[in-house]
Amino acid sequence: MYSIIVVPPPTTEDRTAPGQLRLAPGERLTFGRSAACAVRIPHEGVSRRAGEITAQGAFWALSNLSGRQTYVVENPEGAGEHIKVGPGRLEAPVPFEFSRIVLPAAGDLLAVDVWAPRHDYLREADGLEGATTAPAFSLDVSKRYFAVLAALCEPRLRGAPHAPTPTVDQVVDRLRPAWPAASRTSVQWNIDYLAVKLRLKPGPEEADPGPRLNGKKESLVSLALRFDLVREEDLAVLPAAGGAVR
């Protein structure tokens, strides 16, 4: 039974879609510039034996066999979520279901995609006594503030983990088909409200307002994506392309 699928980058000689390599639990493959590697990456900036991927059931591990380069493993579905694997690090576990190993190579960034099986999750227990645990963050997806938060998070949830945070004007334009009265003032009010609601800054009733919160929109996006407050399916609260309302 195969558990891990590895998709190497296309070579300079062949730019067509690369093939897939499948690993069963316990199997491993090496990648690098050498023809002896299972995944050959013929680039002068890639080490002859650059790294090794090991399948471990529902996850996999990455060994960085280079002497100088740090590798970054991105979660393309996690809006910027990533881990770094330093030179010489062995068997670094990667928890993402879909991952992209980014190899810095003499000015280029080469990518190796790795797919792991869907993870298993514990079902919520029923019949436990006592009060229900209070939610860490209480958000109502039917409210306009949530639509504002979704619009801020949308570019990164659409598969561009390094996309800049939308400006207030861009959020206004994105929401106006479903919210004709949207304006810079109303969107900014909702951003300020979210900053208080998500405890990024104290409320106006607090005696000590604390330091000014710089990068408010970026802080909101970072918090929302780190704790899955907005997921890809939540983008359904936004107007569909073309102005129709979902």
Side-chain angles (χ1 to χ4, degrees):
M1 174 182 178
Y2 295 112
S3 66
I4 304 297
I5 300 174
V6 180
V7 183
T11 64
T12 54
E13 296 83 7
D14 184 6
R15 291 292 182 180
T16 59
Q20 297 181 353
L21 298 168
R22 297 173 180 264
L23 299 178
E27 292 183 340
R28 60 185 63 211
L29 63 77
T30 56
F31 59 88
R33 192 173 79 247
S34 171
C37 293
V39 175
R40 183 168 182 259
I41 306 175
H43 190 293
E44 62 181 4
V46 176
S47 299
R48 285 179 295 245
R49 192 163 177 261
E52 186 175 73
I53 294 170
T54 306
Q56 299 286 356
F59 72 98
W60 58 282
L62 173 65
S63 294
N64 183 346
L65 305 181
S66 73
R68 298 179 181 177
Q69 299 291 354
T70 292
Y71 300 157
V72 175
V73 184
E74 298 178 339
N75 176 10
E77 300 173 320
E81 188 179 18
H82 69 277
I83 61 174
K84 296 192 295 184
V85 182
R89 171 71 194 275
L90 300 178
E91 300 287 335
V94 179
F96 313 136
E97 294 182 14
F98 174 38
S99 308
R100 179 167 294 138
I101 308 172
V102 181
L103 308 175
D108 294 325
L109 294 178
L110 307 179
V112 178
D113 291 339
V114 182
W115 295 81
R118 290 192 176 275
H119 299 164
D120 293 328
Y121 294 92
L122 178 68
R123 292 185 179 181
E124 188 173 352
D126 297 325
L128 295 179
E129 297 181 357
T132 303
T133 303
F137 304 99
S138 180
L139 296 176
D140 186 341
V141 299
S142 68
K143 301 297 185 181
R144 281 178 176 162
Y145 68 73
F146 189 85
V148 170
L149 185 59
L152 290 172
C153 296
E154 182 180 28
R156 297 186 191 178
L157 286 173
R158 295 292 190 195
H162 305 296
T165 303
T167 65
V168 172
D169 287 332
Q170 288 172 329
V171 174
V172 171
D173 292 341
R174 184 69 181 91
L175 297 178
R176 188 163 281 157
W179 181 13
S183 65
R184 284 183 54 87
T185 301
S186 58
V187 167
Q188 188 61 59
W189 184 92
N190 278 278
I191 290 172
D192 291 338
Y193 175 78
L194 282 163
V196 174
K197 187 174 183 63
L198 298 180
R199 305 181 187 91
L200 292 177
K201 60 176 293 186
E205 69 282 356
E206 297 290 335
D208 181 8
R212 178 180 176 84
L213 178 62
N214 295 316
K216 191 180 303 180
K217 297 195 288 11
E218 291 75 11
S219 297
L220 285 170
V221 170
S222 176
L223 180 71
L225 297 179
R226 276 188 293 139
F227 290 99
D228 288 336
L229 306 184
V230 181
R231 303 171 185 265
E232 188 174 359
E233 56 265 28
D234 293 321
L235 298 181
V237 303
L238 300 175
V245 180
R246 294 184 182 181

